[in-house]
Amino acid sequence: MLAGRTTAALVLAAGVAVAVAGGAGLMLTRHPETVQATALQAFPAPTGPIAAVPRHGTTKVAKPIALLIPAIGVSTSLIHLGLTSSGALQVPPSTAVAGWYTGSPRPGATGSAVIAGHIDSHAGPGIFFRLPQLKPGDRIYVRRADGTLAVFKVTAVQTYAKDKFPTAAVYGPAPDPELRLITCGGVFDHSLKSYLSNTIVYATEVG
Amino acid sequence: MRFTRFVRRIVLLAALPMLLLGIPAAVSASAATTSSTGTGWIRLAHLSPNTPEVDVYLYSFGDSSAQIVLHHVGYGAVAPYEQVPAGEYTVAMRAAGAVATSTPVLSSSVWVVAGHAYTVAGLGPESGLRLQVLDDKLSTPPGKALVRIVQASLRQHVVSVSFGGHVLDGSLKFASVSPYQAVSAATATLNVTGSGEDAHASVPLAAGTVHTLVVLDGPKGLMIDDLLDAAGSGTAPAGAASTGFGGMAPHAPASPLPWLSVMGAGLVLAMLGGRRLRRLSAARS
């Protein structure tokens, strides 16, 4: 009788232990792996001559050479991006640098200048890792070859599924000097080795 | 029995993680944001040859204090675009230097739709001055430029305009505005010919740009002002941008099935043990 009770209690205890272990295992494996990002290094706004907004937009402005976003610690030179053989936007070969699409207007000239950068590499954060953290009103600075700065303020940050990419809003004509920053976002599809969305920052020049 | 209740509680506790883990998995799907910035653009122009300088006021409809005031705007002046919240506006013109509260010479209302651009121009002779609201286009056919002509020359009542040999308008009357036309992107000579005067200028019309060409009476004859209404990428890249390699992406969660089976087995075992205990206790009492 007593032995029966002990066995039954042991079976019960073992069952509870196994169930708890299963639950713990489930909890541990389902929790997504968090990757450590480097600490945010915000910096003060850059200084330099701010070129006047061109009167009719036909005035030439110098080529962009660097991008500075103090709020999210981005400070990078800008390389030139063209098109791939399939007509898609070239992306920088390095994840540590952003690039200006040479088919778009120069930053500060009339129209939407397009700058793209990677959100991450295979191993860690890319130059635009913190892009989704930008908020309306944050300032973006583009330094140009003649030393002048074009200053923009963020108006919107939006994420789109890649098959719903807003081509007109990014590459279409705009009546004033604007900026579009592009990076990846959303879910990473491990089988496609690609993110399924793009995050786009819309900014307009501060007059 | 207190002991059985205790057992039930433990079994429930063990089952809890399953419930908790099921919920976040179901709601983790996130939707893209679709909010709009809700602003449009407006620019003001004085294109009436014999009208003296004016002060131009832009009011948000129903607001008596002006949002923008441009002083001493003379013939031929076109202000840069101003980005304004979508809504109704009033444009008023007063003689240069007139007090802001005086009755305007002319006023007109403009409805600004988000994402659209407008030019509000004083057109015509002074005797028949009017404020005309022009819809400015913000898109071009792929690889093309758009061009429109504003005929603001009073001395040459009718002009013919051609670009690179292609006639854009054979007889454009004073104070009228041609519709936009798509032209092949090129830098070519723009010719404006009136009855006694003509003007020509080399104008770059790049792909993805929208232009308004204004024909003006200059001090020495006809003049052409090339306004860049909007500019975009000459060639829009196809599709989205591949700007990530996934190094910072969360890894796909492992299948929960093995752990669920372990939990299930544990629960079954606990239930069996519990039931046996209950039966033994019942038999004893």
Side-chain angles (χ1 to χ4, degrees):
Chain A
M1 226 30 191
L2 197 67
R5 274 187 66 91
T6 314
T7 312
L10 277 176
V11 167
L12 171 66
V16 168
V18 168
V20 168
L26 193 63
M27 189 110 75
L28 286 174
T29 50
R30 279 191 68 79
H31 204 274
E33 209 172 297
T34 49
V35 189
Q36 285 299 307
T38 48
L40 171 62
Q41 298 264 308
F43 55 86
T47 53
I50 291 164
V53 177
R55 186 178 155 260
H56 284 161
T58 42
T59 321
K60 279 271 178 199
V61 300
K63 282 183 184 166
I65 54 166
L67 174 72
L68 304 116
I69 315 175
I72 53 166
V74 168
S75 175
T76 172
S77 59
L78 285 171
I79 62 162
H80 287 183
L81 303 175
L83 297 175
T84 65
S85 54
S86 63
L89 179 66
Q90 253 180 8
V91 295
S94 159
T95 58
V97 63
W100 165 64
Y101 171 47
T102 56
S104 70
R106 294 176 178 181
T110 296
S112 299
V114 176
I115 291 174
H118 290 281
I119 190 158
D120 59 12
S121 64
H122 290 294
I127 189 71
F128 278 175
F129 182 63
R130 291 183 195 279
L131 210 61
Q133 295 173 14
L134 280 175
K135 298 275 174 292
D138 283 343
R139 293 297 194 266
I140 300 173
Y141 301 81
V142 176
R143 199 178 290 286
R144 295 179 288 212
D146 60 358
T148 58
L149 280 176
V151 188
F152 299 86
K153 76 165 193 280
V154 174
T155 56
V157 181
Q158 302 202 10
T159 299
Y160 306 85
K162 283 193 176 175
D163 57 358
K164 302 250 176 359
F165 189 87
T167 297
V170 174
Y171 301 117
D176 54 3
E178 307 234 343
L179 194 62
R180 306 283 184 257
L181 305 182
I182 306 177
T183 194
C184 275
V187 172
F188 187 79
D189 186 320
H190 287 266
S191 58
L192 292 174
K193 297 193 182 350
S194 168
Y195 281 95
L196 299 182
S197 302
N198 275 128
T199 295
I200 293 163
V201 173
Y202 296 85
T204 184
E205 188 165 38
V206 182
Chain B
M1 300 222 113
R2 212 174 294 160
F3 187 62
T4 355
R5 218 175 292 149
F6 174 68
V7 168
R8 271 202 202 124
R9 219 168 277 167
I10 289 181
V11 171
L12 260 177
L13 274 176
L16 207 61
M18 228 159 85
L19 290 169
L20 289 177
L21 289 166
I23 294 162
V27 296
S28 66
S30 65
T33 52
T34 49
S35 73
S36 152
T37 48
T39 60
W41 294 270
I42 200 164
R43 75 178 166 186
L44 306 165
H46 178 338
L47 301 174
S48 168
N50 58 351
T51 299
E53 289 187 346
V54 290
D55 292 342
V56 189
Y57 294 72
L58 180 74
Y59 302 92
S60 183
F61 188 76
D63 187 349
S64 60
S65 58
Q67 199 158 336
I68 297 162
V69 187
L70 304 172
H71 294 285
H72 294 277
V73 179
Y75 168 59
V78 181
Y81 281 104
E82 298 281 349
Q83 201 165 3
V84 293
E88 195 175 356
Y89 291 84
T90 302
V91 176
M93 277 187 173
R94 295 185 174 87
V99 285
T101 49
S102 62
T103 308
V105 176
L106 205 57
S107 73
S108 175
S109 63
V110 194
W111 187 264
V112 175
V113 175
H116 288 248
Y118 307 85
T119 300
V120 183
L123 281 175
E126 188 184 13
S127 55
L129 181 66
R130 67 180 197 275
L131 272 170
Q132 188 163 340
V133 180
L134 306 174
D135 278 348
D136 303 341
K137 279 224 167 169
L138 294 180
S139 65
T140 63
K144 301 270 187 179
L146 282 189
V147 59
R148 134 187 107 174
I149 303 138
V150 175
Q151 213 294 55
S153 163
L154 184 58
R155 282 207 303 264
Q156 301 295 314
H157 248 267
V158 179
V159 297
S160 163
V161 182
S162 67
F163 177 69
H166 167 71
V167 176
L168 296 172
D169 200 306
S171 60
L172 193 61
K173 289 193 185 71
F174 171 60
S176 62
V177 181
S178 81
Y180 280 108
Q181 289 177 57
V183 296
S184 297
T187 296
T189 304
L190 184 84
N191 268 304
V192 179
T193 313
S195 58
E197 295 173 26
D198 58 5
H200 48 88
S202 175
V203 175
L205 297 181
T209 62
V210 182
H211 295 251
T212 295
L213 303 168
V214 187
V215 180
L216 296 164
D217 282 330
K220 292 180 197 147
L222 283 178
M223 274 182 10
I224 301 159
D225 194 7
D226 171 19
L227 305 177
L228 183 59
D229 298 350
S233 296
T235 308
S242 309
T243 40
F245 294 98
M248 297 300 281
H251 287 274
S255 166
L257 268 182
W259 289 113
L260 282 177
S261 337
V262 170
M263 268 181 77
L267 290 177
V268 167
L269 209 60
M271 254 159 63
L272 287 176
R275 200 181 297 167
R276 179 88 185 127
L277 259 183
R278 214 187 315 164
R279 239 178 253 156
L280 288 174
S281 308
R284 222 167 44 152
S285 58

